[in-house]
Amino acid sequence: GVPIALHIFFFQAVASPPSSNFLLLGPSGAGKTAFTTLLEAKSSLAPTKSHSTHTSQQSTLVTVTLPPTVPTGSNRYRSDNDPSLTEAMRNPIKYRVRDTPGHGKLRVSQGISELQTMSQSKDIKTRLRGVVFMVDTAALVDEATLRDTATYLHDVLLFLQKRAKNGSSSKRTTDIPVLVAANKQDLFTALPPGAVREKLEAEIDRIRKSKTKGLLDASADTGLEDEEEILGNDEQETFSFKLLEHEVGIKVDVVGGAVKGDLQEEFGSGVRRWEEWVGMCL
Ligand code: GDP
């Protein structure tokens, strides 16, 4: 609680308050801390030393800047000689990233509850613009890691699905898109983003199937009509992110990148496409 208040105080006191929040989720070891550290370094916001107190047990909030050459959703057609580029260089767009720990039990309590808190914000200034779900694409060949990662992603998406449904038509909830940041593409053992998408979809499909079966068994036992939802609704269909977008309106993009390694030769270029995704949300 206290560190968050301190951060907010700090931003209000020093910089103009940044208004766009992104939540960084994903299993432990995916590269979340490395990513936020890199974004901070790229932004060269020297006074924001939030990571000096960072332990893997706490979530941290950092304010970073979008590179001026990255187009934003509201300014999509910015070209190199556009005056808005000069403006963007003079007054770079800031956004906030909340990093969350990814360890087994903590991630549910902290990651999902963070998602809950941030997505419920009514204030347009602090509302959640998007979720970045980071995965280690070299680790997904391991069955247990794949299952663990897909379970976490499933829970995040199911939360967003419930949120989307609960929004009454009068006060429609704004969509929160999800970026699956397929990290560590520099490693030669890494699965390409297309394969990452397929593996996650297939695994989420299995999770859905076993959940449906579990619910049937449970309701047979207790006689209770459990109204538990199925991710993507249509349980006859095989799960895919397209199905989720079509049925529920939640958009999931899988985009490759690398926080470390050779792709970083050009400083920060390995995360460029994720920054472009962030820009599109702004
Ligand atoms: P977190 O638990 O999600 O915060 O993961 P960390 O940021 O602590 O990263 C876990 C490990 O993966 C660290 O040793 C990082 O240096 C390494 N790592 C992060 N990103 C990359 C990447 O893009 N490529 C490679 N090769 N290693 C990475």
Side-chain angles (χ1 to χ4, degrees):
V2 175
I4 300 167
L6 279 177
H7 281 302
I8 291 166
F9 172 75
F10 177 78
F11 292 130
Q12 280 175 345
V14 177
S16 61
S19 56
S20 304
N21 292 284
F22 291 84
L23 181 58
L24 183 54
L25 300 173
S28 178
K32 300 182 296 301
T33 309
F35 182 46
T36 41
T37 305
L38 174 70
L39 288 179
E40 274 188 299
K42 271 162 59 77
S43 309
S44 54
L45 276 179
T48 351
K49 276 278 176 280
S50 355
H51 276 277
S52 53
T53 55
H54 183 56
T55 74
S56 58
Q57 306 292 301
Q58 288 176 320
S59 73
T60 56
L61 184 67
V62 299
T63 297
V64 296
T65 54
L66 199 66
T69 52
V70 171
T72 62
S74 49
N75 198 3
R76 216 167 292 240
Y77 303 107
R78 192 157 78 189
S79 70
D80 280 355
N81 51 9
D82 192 317
S84 67
L85 184 67
T86 330
E87 169 54 25
M89 284 170 146
R90 214 180 304 126
N91 193 13
I93 294 166
K94 291 194 173 68
Y95 61 101
R96 295 197 288 202
V97 178
R98 182 172 288 284
D99 181 12
T100 56
H103 293 289
K105 289 224 159 42
L106 267 180
R107 76 177 184 203
V108 182
S109 57
Q110 277 194 288
I112 303 279
S113 85
E114 205 72 75
L115 179 61
Q116 209 158 2
T117 313
M118 289 178 83
S119 65
Q120 276 166 0
S121 171
K122 297 229 164 40
D123 187 354
I124 191 149
K125 291 222 156 184
T126 54
R127 71 158 221 252
L128 186 63
R129 293 296 185 105
V131 171
V132 177
F133 187 93
M134 187 162 274
V135 300
D136 177 345
T137 57
L140 284 187
V141 285
D142 176 62
E143 283 297 321
T145 307
L146 175 62
R147 166 113 303 202
D148 192 52
T149 306
T151 304
Y152 190 5
L153 181 58
H154 169 275
D155 292 355
V156 168
L157 295 175
L158 189 61
F159 173 84
L160 291 176
Q161 171 170 318
K162 287 177 177 167
R163 177 185 173 276
K165 280 199 180 151
N166 289 339
S168 62
S169 49
S170 56
K171 57 166 184 57
R172 235 190 76 75
T173 50
T174 39
D175 298 335
I176 297 175
V178 177
L179 169 70
V180 175
N183 192 27
K184 308 200 187 180
Q185 287 294 305
D186 59 297
L187 299 175
F188 82 102
T189 48
L191 289 171
V196 170
R197 163 188 278 268
E198 280 168 23
K199 271 197 179 288
L200 287 174
E201 287 177 336
E203 194 61 33
I204 289 177
D205 192 58
R206 273 190 280 275
I207 293 165
R208 262 175 21 132
K209 286 211 173 80
S210 63
K211 254 191 92 175
T212 323
K213 196 181 167 296
L215 287 174
L216 287 177
D217 293 349
S219 60
D221 284 348
T222 60
L224 281 177
E225 277 283 324
D226 200 328
E227 287 285 310
E228 188 63 60
E229 289 176 26
I230 296 300
L231 185 66
N233 293 335
D234 192 345
E235 51 200 270
Q236 307 305 321
E237 284 282 327
T238 309
F239 179 80
S240 67
F241 295 133
K242 270 272 155 294
L243 175 79
L244 189 65
E245 185 174 353
H246 185 256
E247 289 284 328
V248 194
I250 294 169
K251 204 168 169 354
V252 181
D253 286 311
V254 183
V255 178
V259 179
K260 306 243 160 171
D262 292 344
L263 286 174
Q264 288 305 120
E265 260 168 39
E266 244 184 278
F267 188 50
S269 68
V271 301
R272 170 79 186 193
R273 294 186 59 212
W274 302 338
E275 291 181 316
E276 288 173 353
W277 181 89
V278 165
M280 282 312 179
C281 297
L282 298 175

